[in-house]
Amino acid sequence: MQNFLLMNKNLPAVLLSSYDTKFKNKHYHSLFDDDYNIKYEYVGQNGTVPDNSLQSFVANFATALAGTLYEQLIPNSNANASAKITKEEVDELLHCYADTLSCEWAKETGISYFFPEDVYSSKIVPLDYYVGVIRGQVHWITIITKLFLIYYTDYNTKTYTPEECNSAFGSIWLPSKNKCMRSLVNFTEAVSPAFIVDDYDMSSGQYPTWTESVWTTIKVQMFMQPSRRYEWMFSSSVYSFLRLIAFT
């Protein structure tokens, strides 16, 4: 958004974020950004989601945000005034994101068909939230989000064959449901023009640039600090040894 405002300061823009001077979630988008640290606990279809839960907060915020965006796009329209995102839906979605892709919502929506075996399995293994820009492939968090968005914004009212569906723009054939889903959801690469423009001057500051650390494993090296007495004995021994060599 900052780059667009640099080009046109009169461009209307709104930034929605929980960030003020620091992140409230200190594990944001790290390997520890899990259900425990965001205080999420899966309730499921047989339970009751509390009103003071994370699920309830996200549902209320998402409903207000969606209603505001809809009113901005279509002023004076009450066509979607009754639309509400339920805390039960959020509970199931967070279960897929924070706990395991072997979740009921992925099965019910049918999008689990697109998950490879190493991503979608019966094991309770959460997704890796560490998201980078240059990783060689689209992150599974991004792919899953796209699939869920396509499911929720599907506007198809016609009957398509699998071949017709796959050849149409923004369409995905869902074998498990035997239907064609159509949506305007699409991918856009988050690459700064600084990495695209030929012979770009990296010192100009015109476009943002960044460095990115990437690692595949986490390891810790521990070093024991000896006691003062041991340090003194060791130093005295080394000193005596060096003096002995010097005088021989």
Side-chain angles (χ1 to χ4, degrees), residues 154-210:
D154 175 27
Y155 63 86
N156 181 36
T157 58
K158 299 180 180 179
T159 301
Y160 290 88
T161 64
E163 292 75 18
E164 292 173 334
C165 180
N166 292 328
S167 63
F169 175 78
S171 299
I172 291 182
W173 178 258
L174 206 58
S176 57
K177 299 292 183 179
N178 198 33
K179 65 174 292 190
C180 180
M181 294 193 303
R182 302 199 68 184
S183 174
L184 298 179
V185 177
N186 197 21
F187 281 143
T188 300
E189 289 188 355
V191 180
S192 171
F195 302 109
I196 300 176
V197 176
D198 293 333
D199 300 323
Y200 173 73
D201 182 7
M202 290 291 181
S203 63
S204 67
Q206 181 180 2
Y207 299 115
T209 56
W210 57 85

Side-chain angles (χ1 to χ4, degrees), residues 130-143:
Y130 183 75
V131 178
V133 178
I134 309 299
R135 300 193 68 171
Q137 61 182 7
V138 180
H139 198 282
W140 266 106
I141 286 286
T142 308
I143 296 174

